[in-house]
Amino acid sequence: MTTDGYTPISAYGLIGNLETAALVGADGSIDWCCLPYLQSPSVFGALLDVENGGHFRIQPAEPFESSQRYEARTNVLRTDFETDAGSARLTDFMPILSADPAAPFAQPWVFRKVECTDGRVPLDVDFRPRFDYARGRTTVESLNGEIVARGNGEHLSLSTDAALQTDGVSASGVDRLEAGDVRWHTVQYGQRKRPESVDPETLLARVREYWHNWTHDCRTVATGACPFEGPHHALVERSELVLKLLMHHRTGAIAAAPTTSLPELIGGTRNWDYRFSWIRDAAFTIQALNKLGHTRESRDYFDWCLDVIHTESETFQPFQPMFGLHGDTEITEETLDHLSGYRGSAPVRIGNAARNQLQLDVFGELVHALYETCQYGETITETSWETISDVVEYVCTLWDKRDAGMWEVRSDPEQFVHSKVMCWVALDRGIEIARAHDFDAPIGHWASVRSDVREAVIEQGFSDATNSFGRSFESPELLDAAALRIPLVGFLPIDDDRVQGTIDAIRDRLTTEEGLVYRYEGRDGIAGGEGAFLLCSFWLVDCLAMSGDLREAEALFETIVEYASPLGLFSEEVIPQTGELLGNYPQAFSHLGLINSVLYLQAGEEGVPKPDLDGVSSHPPSAT
């Protein structure tokens, strides 16, 4: 179950309240939770330092086996324990503050219900918070029937039915349960005591109702026929629920993941903070949400994107590729050297220096996101168009610059092929929107630049030696899985020989024996290797499905989903040979990739040569 005391990434479930989230291990331990917000310092951080990070563990005091599952169509997590003497069930959830205006609290709570379902089970309870990523001193004491932890100018309270002893830094004890016994353990941030009016069972019922009402209804989604109906429906539904947990209910922003510094290779240094929202995710997210029927969330997310890049200045101000979930722009990267890192993978990073990079592809993603909203009947305001028009104009001035690319390399900037393709997308979709809605725009100029971009990509980004589009103009002989997006965004049709050559080259040189795809060849400024990238693997599924190779596409899809955690969650990467999940978890990109791939497979089964995916994958190249 554990390696060097660390729980495998795949053995965690996620709960949350749309402001923050927590990872709960199959051993009953909350090993990651930042309070009060997702970007706040951790209070429980054993995920990144099992000895010093802090946890809240509830598990049998005797040898046990355990399993986890979510209650159907919810993010309520159950962990079932089996011992020789009996069985017990742990139910974890967080109330959705924004959905319950009658709730007598305004700060996040974690509720943990334990019930003995058979025989007798002594439970080891260990409450060990560590404020500010365990940087500061934390004290824990018993006060008026509550367990109160203080540190970093904050406090956390534990209301519990169990008799726990405190030693100044933790509260622990063995709670002996027999069949039928129920215990509630409630963690409250910034509040001293659970109000008498709060009934945990009532809150649990409300949380269940919230998730049931939010999860897409197959009878009403999209046009009335669920596009996800079929053998993969349950995976889509779980991905949908994961994405919702990563959405901030007030701003509409979506975090790339709820964690920081889970390594891309055990013992390596590729450890990044993903608790931010990337503009790059916009088009992927809007398509998935709309297809699932969540039009309000889709619009909220796009409005957030426009809000954070909007400027009152008469001169367009280039925007950074990622933002905090509250729209904050200061995301300074620093290392936490006092934490050992997951299984010794250091450094542990908070913040992300990529916010200072030029990443040209984000401009195309943003304009394409607006194009996506058009396909679902959203009205584009003049103000929105002015912002997008400024973005397109800006692309005209810098499309030929070197950048860090979508993979955010920390080596010297290059002329990345994918970045250029997405500049083409910005111009192409800008022209389409202007024409369709009769907006004022210099269409002739944009079309001319679009033609220049296209010519540059074809002449400098394609290698005759590899018969493939490459990583960059400087190194066209090196491969980049991002080139799989060339047909998906409509830069070239799927049956173009150069596209098919690119798919073949990537399958030959970037694909594992299992069929999973690595990101790219060449240096990126960071030492060490990484696992296969799940999103790239889903892109290959999409390309195969579009090519008509449906049997291969379905086989690869089935291979990929075999790497899901027992709860149906995906991290960023995986070691194909062992199935070990790597990188931040669960990862929005991976779950978005799954949802979109199901759409491609469904379209292929229905015999649609170019699935109607509203531009992300089937938009035909415009005349140049």
Side-chain angles (χ1 to χ4, degrees):
M1 180 64 184
T2 63
T3 302
D4 299 328
Y6 286 89
T7 297
I9 293 171
S10 60
Y12 283 104
L14 185 71
I15 61 172
N17 68 348
L18 313 187
E19 287 189 346
T20 190
L23 287 182
V24 185
D27 62 351
S29 184
I30 295 179
D31 288 344
W32 182 253
C33 185
C34 300
L35 296 172
Y37 306 116
L38 199 64
Q39 290 173 214
S40 301
S42 65
V43 174
F44 302 117
L47 184 71
L48 299 178
D49 191 319
V50 70
E51 295 294 331
N52 303 308
H55 61 249
F56 181 19
R57 185 172 59 222
I58 301 174
Q59 63 182 210
E62 300 172 348
F64 65 90
E65 293 183 355
S66 66
S67 62
Q68 286 184 310
R69 68 180 179 89
Y70 283 107
E71 293 187 5
R73 300 179 67 237
T74 78
N75 282 311
V76 175
L77 182 65
R78 287 184 173 180
T79 307
D80 289 303
F81 299 108
E82 295 289 339
T83 73
D84 289 342
S87 57
R89 170 171 294 164
L90 173 63
T91 302
D92 285 294
F93 68 95
M94 296 180 72
I96 312 298
L97 306 185
S98 60
D100 193 354
F105 45 83
Q107 297 286 7
W109 287 28
V110 179
F111 280 80
R112 317 198 74 187
K113 176 185 179 182
V114 185
E115 49 192 322
C116 183
T117 55
D118 182 62
R120 60 167 187 82
V121 180
L123 289 168
D124 181 12
V125 181
D126 190 21
F127 178 69
R128 195 175 296 264
R130 295 294 180 264
F131 289 100
D132 191 26
Y133 302 110
R135 283 186 290 196
R137 178 172 175 264
T138 298
T139 62
V140 179
E141 61 181 338
S142 179
L143 188 64
N144 298 325
E146 301 285 305
I147 306 297
V148 179
R150 294 187 177 90
N152 194 40
E154 305 169 273
H155 68 267
L156 196 67
S157 297
L158 171 63
S159 299
T160 177
D161 298 335
L164 304 182
Q165 302 298 315
T166 59
D167 60 6
V169 294
S170 66
S172 60
V174 176
D175 191 21
R176 303 184 183 279
L177 275 64
E178 297 185 356
D181 288 344
V182 175
R183 298 282 192 271
W184 282 95
H185 308 268
T186 306
V187 177
Q188 305 125 93
Y189 177 84
Q191 189 164 322
R192 278 284 302 278
K193 188 175 182 180
R194 187 173 73 204
E196 296 294 333
S197 60
V198 172
D199 175 40
E201 289 287 359
T202 299
L203 282 179
L204 177 55
R206 289 177 183 171
V207 169
R208 288 178 177 133
E209 182 181 16
Y210 173 84
W211 291 117
H212 288 158
N213 291 338
W214 185 83
T215 307
H216 82 271
D217 186 338
C218 294
R219 297 167 298 179
T220 60
V221 69
T223 60
C226 181
F228 302 102
E229 194 59 52
H232 311 305
H233 188 273
L235 285 168
V236 171
E237 187 176 82
R238 180 49 49 196
S239 294
E240 170 187 19
L241 286 160
V242 169
L243 291 177
K244 183 62 172 176
L245 280 179
L246 298 178
M247 296 179 192
H248 193 283
H249 72 94
R250 290 176 184 159
T251 65
I254 301 177
T259 57
T260 180
S261 297
L262 287 180
E264 296 177 15
L265 194 67
I266 299 301
T269 61
R270 296 171 181 265
N271 318 317
W272 315 109
D273 193 345
Y274 277 11
R275 296 171 298 159
F276 307 103
S277 189
W278 270 255
I279 298 296
R280 176 177 296 110
D281 298 0
F284 297 100
T285 305
I286 286 170
Q287 174 185 307
L289 291 175
N290 276 299
K291 285 293 185 181
L292 287 161
H294 300 305
T295 54
R296 182 180 65 81
E297 284 83 355
S298 172
R299 187 69 215 190
D300 286 347
Y301 178 53
F302 184 70
D303 285 344
W304 174 83
C305 290
L306 289 181
D307 287 345
V308 295
I309 71 166
H310 181 72
T311 175
E312 300 294 339
S313 171
E314 294 183 2
T315 304
F316 178 74
Q317 303 294 314
F319 54 87
Q320 61 194 57
M322 29 99 69
F323 295 84
L325 301 184
H326 300 87
D328 40 312
T329 59
E330 294 301 321
I331 308 175
T332 304
E333 182 174 300
E334 60 179 303
T335 61
L336 302 180
D337 296 332
H338 67 287
L339 296 178
S340 61
Y342 180 80
R343 292 179 58 188
S345 304
V348 170
R349 293 183 175 93
I350 56 174
N352 199 310
R355 56 89 61 195
N356 297 314
Q357 292 181 339
L358 174 63
Q359 299 175 18
L360 292 175
D361 68 295
V362 300
F363 302 113
E365 301 290 4
L366 181 67
V367 180
H368 183 63
L370 181 63
Y371 177 86
E372 280 285 291
T373 66
C374 298
Q375 308 312 300
Y376 293 98
E378 291 287 350
T379 300
I380 303 176
T381 66
E382 287 287 345
T383 300
S384 296
W385 173 247
E386 287 177 7
T387 300
I388 294 299
S389 179
D390 285 342
V391 171
V392 179
E393 277 290 297
Y394 189 62
V395 169
C396 289
T397 69
L398 87 167
W399 70 267
D400 57 350
K401 305 295 184 185
R402 293 178 172 84
D403 76 325
M406 79 168 296
W407 304 127
E408 302 180 339
V409 300
R410 300 202 174 191
S411 52
D412 291 337
E414 296 183 48
Q415 302 270 9
F416 288 105
V417 170
H418 176 261
S419 294
K420 307 309 179 192
V421 168
M422 294 312 297
C423 286
W424 179 91
V425 169
L427 291 156
D428 184 71
R429 304 309 192 262
I431 292 169
E432 294 280 345
I433 296 169
R435 285 174 172 166
H437 297 271
D438 198 27
F439 285 128
D440 184 36
I443 290 179
H445 174 56
W446 290 358
S448 176
V449 178
R450 178 182 63 181
S451 180
D452 292 342
V453 177
R454 182 184 180 85
E455 182 179 358
V457 171
I458 291 175
E459 290 188 358
Q460 301 179 62
F462 186 82
S463 169
D464 291 330
T466 62
N467 191 34
S468 169
F469 284 98
R471 179 184 179 187
S472 67
F473 292 177
E474 293 87 350
S475 302
E477 74 285 354
L478 298 178
L479 297 184
D480 183 347
L484 291 170
R485 296 198 68 207
I486 286 175
L488 304 184
V489 298
F491 183 84
L492 286 173
I494 190 68
D495 57 1
D496 187 285
D497 288 343
R498 292 162 295 190
V499 170
Q500 288 298 312
T502 300
I503 295 172
D504 290 342
I506 288 173
R507 295 182 74 183
D508 181 51
R509 286 168 48 182
L510 286 182
T511 305
T512 71
E513 291 182 3
E514 296 78 11
L516 301 186
V517 181
Y518 289 104
R519 288 192 294 173
Y520 50 79
E521 298 172 330
R523 297 180 180 179
D524 57 10
I526 303 294
E530 61 182 23
F533 206 80
L534 290 171
L535 177 63
C536 297
S537 304
F538 284 122
W539 286 344
L540 182 54
V541 170
D542 304 343
C543 288
L544 292 172
M546 284 186 71
S547 299
D549 298 327
L550 189 60
R551 181 174 297 179
E552 287 192 54
E554 290 178 336
L556 176 55
F557 184 86
E558 294 296 338
T559 296
I560 298 170
V561 299
E562 284 295 317
Y563 292 98
S565 79
L567 291 168
L569 307 184
F570 289 93
S571 62
E572 182 178 36
E573 301 180 8
V574 65
I575 297 179
Q577 298 82 358
T578 65
E580 183 176 8
L581 297 183
L582 296 171
N584 286 306
Y585 170 90
Q587 174 83 356
F589 243 4
S590 298
H591 286 279
L592 287 167
L594 181 147
I595 292 171
N596 288 333
S597 286
V598 170
L599 289 172
Y600 280 97
L601 293 173
Q602 294 286 79
E605 291 170 359
E606 294 166 7
V608 181
K610 288 185 178 181
D612 178 17
L613 298 183
D614 306 307
V616 162
S617 42
S618 62
H619 187 87
S622 300
T624 58

